[in-house]
Amino acid sequence: MSRPSWDEYFMKITELVASRSTCLRRQVGAVLVRNKRILTTGYNGPPAGIEHCDKRGGCLRDELNIPSGERMELSRAIHAEQNAIIQAAKMGISIENSTLYVTTHPCFTCAKMLINAGVKKIIYKEGYPDSFSKGILKEAQVEVKQFNTLLKDYKE
């Protein structure tokens, strides 16, 4: 019997979580895990009760021609990582010493939040154009690995 590794299992779950996203630009899923148990999940989208961009006629960032990784404060969406952290806070769940599985490398803002929340490891699928996040995660000694689904392994 062939079973997925734990990392492959959790990365597949991030893809399912991402499918709930309503973002018109990028669907991102995040899963916070400790001791092989899911603590919380999150996907990117507007705050609860706020209209989604498709209902408003499109993405403001697209209308303003803002490149990916820049001027994120102009997005109506909360990032997947932020939603996973918020869910933990709402439910009273500590995410200290946890691992984040995420479909896209965290941005600088999310990296700072993950550091302060005590996340110790990040495993991501796709890159993101934000060199500041990589630098601050390295400085904080958070282990960061890219998961290569073809090799079912990591690459630096």
Side-chain angles (χ1 to χ4, degrees):
M1 176 158 100
S2 176
R3 295 173 60 183
S5 69
W6 285 108
D7 289 335
E8 186 177 12
Y9 171 75
F10 291 124
M11 285 304 286
K12 285 184 179 192
I13 292 172
T14 65
E15 293 169 7
L16 182 61
V17 172
S19 72
R20 290 281 308 153
S21 171
T22 59
C23 183
L24 300 173
R25 277 189 153 195
R26 177 190 318 254
Q27 292 186 308
V28 180
V31 177
L32 283 164
V33 174
R34 187 174 51 238
N35 299 326
K36 299 178 184 167
R37 299 291 181 258
I38 294 173
L39 301 173
T40 64
T41 66
Y43 54 87
N44 57 327
I50 303 299
E51 269 190 325
H52 298 274
C53 295
D54 63 342
K55 302 286 187 213
R56 297 181 53 83
C59 174
L60 174 64
R61 292 171 51 80
D62 281 346
E63 291 170 23
L64 298 174
N65 293 315
I66 298 171
S68 184
E70 295 180 19
R71 304 290 317 269
M72 288 172 274
E73 73 278 6
L74 294 178
S75 174
R76 291 177 62 80
I78 297 173
H79 288 188
E81 303 93 324
Q82 294 168 354
N83 272 326
I85 292 168
I86 291 165
Q87 185 180 35
K90 284 179 75 171
M91 302 302 287
I93 299 169
S94 171
I95 58 173
E96 191 167 13
N97 297 315
S98 64
T99 296
L100 173 73
Y101 291 85
V102 64
T103 55
T104 304
H105 190 286
C107 72
F108 188 54
T109 300
C110 289
K112 293 183 288 184
M113 293 174 72
L114 293 162
I115 291 165
N116 272 4
V119 173
K120 295 299 180 196
K121 186 174 184 179
I122 297 170
I123 300 174
Y124 69 98
K125 186 176 178 183
E126 298 174 3
Y128 189 73
D130 189 338
S131 60
F132 294 115
S133 66
K134 292 178 179 80
I136 200 167
L137 289 166
K138 183 175 182 175
E139 184 178 344
Q141 298 179 357
V142 174
E143 184 180 353
V144 179
K145 301 282 186 181
Q146 184 173 18
F147 187 77
N148 183 331
T149 55
L150 296 177
L151 299 176
K152 297 180 184 175
D153 201 357
Y154 304 106
K155 64 181 185 179
E156 297 292 329

